[in-house]
mmCIF file of all heavy atoms in Angstrom:
data_model
loop_
_atom_site.group_PDB
_atom_site.id
_atom_site.type_symbol
_atom_site.label_atom_id
_atom_site.label_comp_id
_atom_site.label_asym_id
_atom_site.label_seq_id
_atom_site.Cartn_x
_atom_site.Cartn_y
_atom_site.Cartn_z
ATOM 1 N N ILE M 47 -13.653 10.459 5.423
ATOM 2 C CA ILE M 47 -12.922 9.711 6.458
ATOM 3 C C ILE M 47 -13.851 9.048 7.380
ATOM 4 O O ILE M 47 -14.614 9.718 8.082
ATOM 5 C CB ILE M 47 -11.977 10.677 7.196
ATOM 6 C CG1 ILE M 47 -11.006 11.312 6.197
ATOM 7 C CG2 ILE M 47 -11.179 9.924 8.329
ATOM 8 C CD1 ILE M 47 -10.145 12.447 6.714
ATOM 9 N N VAL M 48 -13.802 7.714 7.300
ATOM 10 C CA VAL M 48 -14.665 6.975 8.271
ATOM 11 C C VAL M 48 -13.832 6.365 9.495
ATOM 12 O O VAL M 48 -14.406 5.773 10.448
ATOM 13 C CB VAL M 48 -15.317 5.771 7.591
ATOM 14 C CG1 VAL M 48 -16.306 6.417 6.475
ATOM 15 C CG2 VAL M 48 -14.346 4.881 6.873
ATOM 16 N N PHE M 49 -12.600 6.405 9.434
ATOM 17 C CA PHE M 49 -11.612 5.978 10.571
ATOM 18 C C PHE M 49 -10.416 6.705 10.410
ATOM 19 O O PHE M 49 -9.896 6.947 9.386
ATOM 20 C CB PHE M 49 -11.418 4.465 10.405
ATOM 21 C CG PHE M 49 -10.507 3.999 11.458
ATOM 22 C CD1 PHE M 49 -10.927 3.566 12.734
ATOM 23 C CD2 PHE M 49 -9.123 3.812 11.192
ATOM 24 C CE1 PHE M 49 -10.020 3.144 13.673
ATOM 25 C CE2 PHE M 49 -8.184 3.335 12.029
ATOM 26 C CZ PHE M 49 -8.722 2.930 13.378
ATOM 27 N N PHE M 50 -9.835 7.064 11.636
ATOM 28 C CA PHE M 50 -8.623 7.818 11.704
ATOM 29 C C PHE M 50 -7.815 7.300 13.030
ATOM 30 O O PHE M 50 -8.466 7.141 14.048
ATOM 31 C CB PHE M 50 -8.794 9.290 11.711
ATOM 32 C CG PHE M 50 -7.506 10.068 11.759
ATOM 33 C CD1 PHE M 50 -6.767 10.353 10.588
ATOM 34 C CD2 PHE M 50 -6.987 10.583 13.020
ATOM 35 C CE1 PHE M 50 -5.589 11.041 10.663
ATOM 36 C CE2 PHE M 50 -5.807 11.150 13.115
ATOM 37 C CZ PHE M 50 -5.029 11.482 11.878
ATOM 38 N N ASN M 51 -6.574 7.193 12.900
ATOM 39 C CA ASN M 51 -5.671 6.821 14.007
ATOM 40 C C ASN M 51 -4.316 7.353 13.821
ATOM 41 O O ASN M 51 -3.776 7.284 12.792
ATOM 42 C CB ASN M 51 -5.722 5.320 14.205
ATOM 43 C CG ASN M 51 -4.947 4.980 15.591
ATOM 44 O OD1 ASN M 51 -5.470 5.297 16.654
ATOM 45 N ND2 ASN M 51 -3.881 4.269 15.502
ATOM 46 N N ASP M 52 -3.719 7.965 14.949
ATOM 47 C CA ASP M 52 -2.293 8.393 15.006
ATOM 48 C C ASP M 52 -1.730 7.369 15.967
ATOM 49 O O ASP M 52 -2.321 7.034 17.065
ATOM 50 C CB ASP M 52 -2.169 9.851 15.534
ATOM 51 C CG ASP M 52 -2.450 10.763 14.443
ATOM 52 O OD1 ASP M 52 -2.240 10.425 13.278
ATOM 53 O OD2 ASP M 52 -2.725 11.912 14.881
ATOM 54 N N ASP M 53 -0.478 6.914 15.682
ATOM 55 C CA ASP M 53 0.241 6.003 16.588
ATOM 56 C C ASP M 53 1.694 6.271 16.515
ATOM 57 O O ASP M 53 2.139 6.725 15.433
ATOM 58 C CB ASP M 53 -0.153 4.615 16.142
ATOM 59 C CG ASP M 53 0.010 3.539 17.329
ATOM 60 O OD1 ASP M 53 0.409 3.965 18.437
ATOM 61 O OD2 ASP M 53 -0.176 2.344 17.090
ATOM 62 N N LEU M 54 2.335 5.963 17.584
ATOM 63 C CA LEU M 54 3.846 6.064 17.609
ATOM 64 C C LEU M 54 4.374 4.644 17.613
ATOM 65 O O LEU M 54 4.051 3.805 18.373
ATOM 66 C CB LEU M 54 4.260 6.772 18.856
ATOM 67 C CG LEU M 54 5.755 6.942 19.040
ATOM 68 C CD1 LEU M 54 6.279 7.837 17.897
ATOM 69 C CD2 LEU M 54 6.270 7.473 20.461
ATOM 70 N N VAL M 55 5.136 4.466 16.540
ATOM 71 C CA VAL M 55 5.755 3.102 16.341
ATOM 72 C C VAL M 55 6.936 3.008 17.162
ATOM 73 O O VAL M 55 7.933 3.686 16.980
ATOM 74 C CB VAL M 55 5.971 2.824 14.838
ATOM 75 C CG1 VAL M 55 6.666 1.531 14.633
ATOM 76 C CG2 VAL M 55 4.761 3.101 13.996
ATOM 77 N N ASN M 56 6.970 1.968 18.030
ATOM 78 C CA ASN M 56 8.095 1.686 18.851
ATOM 79 C C ASN M 56 8.778 0.406 18.630
ATOM 80 O O ASN M 56 9.450 -0.106 19.559
ATOM 81 C CB ASN M 56 7.662 1.733 20.395
ATOM 82 C CG ASN M 56 7.226 3.138 20.720
ATOM 83 O OD1 ASN M 56 7.961 4.154 20.427
ATOM 84 N ND2 ASN M 56 6.232 3.342 21.522
ATOM 85 N N ALA M 57 8.619 -0.135 17.465
ATOM 86 C CA ALA M 57 9.218 -1.444 17.072
ATOM 87 C C ALA M 57 9.604 -1.417 15.649
ATOM 88 O O ALA M 57 8.962 -0.645 14.858
ATOM 89 C CB ALA M 57 8.293 -2.577 17.371
ATOM 90 N N ALA M 58 10.526 -2.275 15.354
ATOM 91 C CA ALA M 58 11.058 -2.336 13.874
ATOM 92 C C ALA M 58 9.876 -2.942 12.949
ATOM 93 O O ALA M 58 9.687 -2.521 11.831
ATOM 94 C CB ALA M 58 12.201 -3.166 13.746
ATOM 95 N N ASP M 59 9.055 -3.813 13.515
ATOM 96 C CA ASP M 59 7.915 -4.394 12.843
ATOM 97 C C ASP M 59 6.634 -3.992 13.551
ATOM 98 O O ASP M 59 6.552 -4.230 14.764
ATOM 99 C CB ASP M 59 8.061 -5.978 12.737
ATOM 100 C CG ASP M 59 9.168 -6.376 11.904
ATOM 101 O OD1 ASP M 59 9.260 -5.783 10.768
ATOM 102 O OD2 ASP M 59 9.866 -7.179 12.188
ATOM 103 N N TRP M 60 5.728 -3.337 12.884
ATOM 104 C CA TRP M 60 4.522 -2.774 13.474
ATOM 105 C C TRP M 60 3.290 -3.359 12.837
ATOM 106 O O TRP M 60 3.302 -3.443 11.559
ATOM 107 C CB TRP M 60 4.602 -1.302 13.357
ATOM 108 C CG TRP M 60 3.471 -0.520 13.911
ATOM 109 C CD1 TRP M 60 3.215 -0.228 15.320
ATOM 110 C CD2 TRP M 60 2.478 0.039 13.269
ATOM 111 N NE1 TRP M 60 2.106 0.465 15.423
ATOM 112 C CE2 TRP M 60 1.533 0.651 14.042
ATOM 113 C CE3 TRP M 60 2.072 0.217 11.829
ATOM 114 C CZ2 TRP M 60 0.398 1.365 13.723
ATOM 115 C CZ3 TRP M 60 0.923 0.821 11.484
ATOM 116 C CH2 TRP M 60 0.062 1.452 12.430
ATOM 117 N N ASN M 61 2.321 -3.808 13.607
ATOM 118 C CA ASN M 61 1.076 -4.289 13.126
ATOM 119 C C ASN M 61 -0.084 -3.585 13.666
ATOM 120 O O ASN M 61 -0.040 -3.280 14.826
ATOM 121 C CB ASN M 61 0.982 -5.787 13.526
ATOM 122 C CG ASN M 61 2.033 -6.741 12.736
ATOM 123 O OD1 ASN M 61 2.034 -6.727 11.564
ATOM 124 N ND2 ASN M 61 2.907 -7.176 13.517
ATOM 125 N N TYR M 62 -1.084 -3.353 12.818
ATOM 126 C CA TYR M 62 -2.197 -2.582 13.301
ATOM 127 C C TYR M 62 -3.440 -3.222 12.572
ATOM 128 O O TYR M 62 -3.399 -3.590 11.390
ATOM 129 C CB TYR M 62 -2.148 -1.053 12.984
ATOM 130 C CG TYR M 62 -3.276 -0.258 13.629
ATOM 131 C CD1 TYR M 62 -3.156 0.121 14.840
ATOM 132 C CD2 TYR M 62 -4.462 -0.033 12.971
ATOM 133 C CE1 TYR M 62 -4.153 0.851 15.515
ATOM 134 C CE2 TYR M 62 -5.418 0.748 13.482
ATOM 135 C CZ TYR M 62 -5.231 1.151 14.815
ATOM 136 O OH TYR M 62 -6.245 1.851 15.436
ATOM 137 N N LYS M 63 -4.530 -3.438 13.252
ATOM 138 C CA LYS M 63 -5.726 -4.106 12.845
ATOM 139 C C LYS M 63 -6.909 -3.067 12.818
ATOM 140 O O LYS M 63 -7.165 -2.426 13.814
ATOM 141 C CB LYS M 63 -6.018 -5.341 13.641
ATOM 142 C CG LYS M 63 -7.223 -6.124 13.076
ATOM 143 C CD LYS M 63 -7.528 -7.248 13.991
ATOM 144 C CE LYS M 63 -6.515 -8.401 13.621
ATOM 145 N NZ LYS M 63 -6.919 -9.680 14.255
ATOM 146 N N ILE M 64 -7.638 -3.034 11.749
ATOM 147 C CA ILE M 64 -8.858 -2.164 11.599
ATOM 148 C C ILE M 64 -10.038 -3.096 11.517
ATOM 149 O O ILE M 64 -10.053 -3.904 10.668
ATOM 150 C CB ILE M 64 -8.871 -1.236 10.514
ATOM 151 C CG1 ILE M 64 -7.524 -0.306 10.612
ATOM 152 C CG2 ILE M 64 -10.097 -0.358 10.332
ATOM 153 C CD1 ILE M 64 -7.342 0.656 9.332
ATOM 154 N N ASP M 65 -11.029 -2.889 12.321
ATOM 155 C CA ASP M 65 -12.231 -3.695 12.280
ATOM 156 C C ASP M 65 -13.252 -3.029 11.309
ATOM 157 O O ASP M 65 -13.654 -2.018 11.549
ATOM 158 C CB ASP M 65 -12.880 -3.722 13.710
ATOM 159 C CG ASP M 65 -14.184 -4.500 13.676
ATOM 160 O OD1 ASP M 65 -14.505 -5.034 12.693
ATOM 161 O OD2 ASP M 65 -14.743 -4.592 14.892
ATOM 162 N N LEU M 66 -13.457 -3.815 10.188
ATOM 163 C CA LEU M 66 -14.357 -3.286 9.116
ATOM 164 C C LEU M 66 -15.700 -3.933 9.180
ATOM 165 O O LEU M 66 -16.522 -3.641 8.364
ATOM 166 C CB LEU M 66 -13.767 -3.469 7.694
ATOM 167 C CG LEU M 66 -12.392 -2.826 7.511
ATOM 168 C CD1 LEU M 66 -11.950 -3.271 5.997
ATOM 169 C CD2 LEU M 66 -12.578 -1.361 7.414
ATOM 170 N N SER M 67 -15.896 -4.709 10.285
ATOM 171 C CA SER M 67 -17.278 -5.466 10.224
ATOM 172 C C SER M 67 -18.512 -4.656 10.348
ATOM 173 O O SER M 67 -19.562 -5.003 9.867
ATOM 174 C CB SER M 67 -17.182 -6.418 11.429
ATOM 175 O OG SER M 67 -17.187 -5.728 12.638
ATOM 176 N N LYS M 68 -18.354 -3.464 10.785
ATOM 177 C CA LYS M 68 -19.504 -2.512 10.960
ATOM 178 C C LYS M 68 -19.639 -1.525 9.797
ATOM 179 O O LYS M 68 -20.626 -0.831 9.686
ATOM 180 C CB LYS M 68 -19.530 -1.654 12.240
ATOM 181 C CG LYS M 68 -19.619 -2.665 13.483
ATOM 182 C CD LYS M 68 -19.431 -1.863 14.696
ATOM 183 C CE LYS M 68 -19.570 -2.898 15.849
ATOM 184 N NZ LYS M 68 -19.016 -2.380 17.096
ATOM 185 N N PHE M 69 -18.736 -1.666 8.797
ATOM 186 C CA PHE M 69 -18.798 -0.777 7.632
ATOM 187 C C PHE M 69 -19.646 -1.478 6.539
ATOM 188 O O PHE M 69 -19.592 -2.672 6.377
ATOM 189 C CB PHE M 69 -17.409 -0.377 7.203
ATOM 190 C CG PHE M 69 -16.707 0.447 8.096
ATOM 191 C CD1 PHE M 69 -15.638 -0.078 8.892
ATOM 192 C CD2 PHE M 69 -16.961 1.806 8.183
ATOM 193 C CE1 PHE M 69 -14.986 0.808 9.782
ATOM 194 C CE2 PHE M 69 -16.285 2.598 9.149
ATOM 195 C CZ PHE M 69 -15.280 2.130 9.901
ATOM 196 N N ALA M 70 -20.159 -0.709 5.626
ATOM 197 C CA ALA M 70 -20.966 -1.194 4.493
ATOM 198 C C ALA M 70 -20.028 -1.943 3.495
ATOM 199 O O ALA M 70 -18.748 -1.641 3.441
ATOM 200 C CB ALA M 70 -21.635 -0.104 3.779
ATOM 201 N N ILE M 71 -20.513 -2.812 2.700
ATOM 202 C CA ILE M 71 -19.796 -3.524 1.681
ATOM 203 C C ILE M 71 -19.454 -2.382 0.652
ATOM 204 O O ILE M 71 -20.251 -1.564 0.340
ATOM 205 C CB ILE M 71 -20.729 -4.555 1.012
ATOM 206 C CG1 ILE M 71 -20.900 -5.606 2.026
ATOM 207 C CG2 ILE M 71 -20.069 -5.174 -0.367
ATOM 208 C CD1 ILE M 71 -21.933 -6.736 1.619
#
Side-chain angles (χ1 to χ4, degrees):
I47 297 172
V48 295
F49 175 86
F50 179 83
N51 187 63
D52 280 334
D53 204 359
L54 182 62
V55 176
N56 290 318
D59 291 315
W60 180 78
N61 294 295
Y62 191 82
K63 184 181 280 191
I64 301 174
D65 182 0
L66 298 178
S67 63
K68 296 179 181 160
F69 292 106
I71 292 171

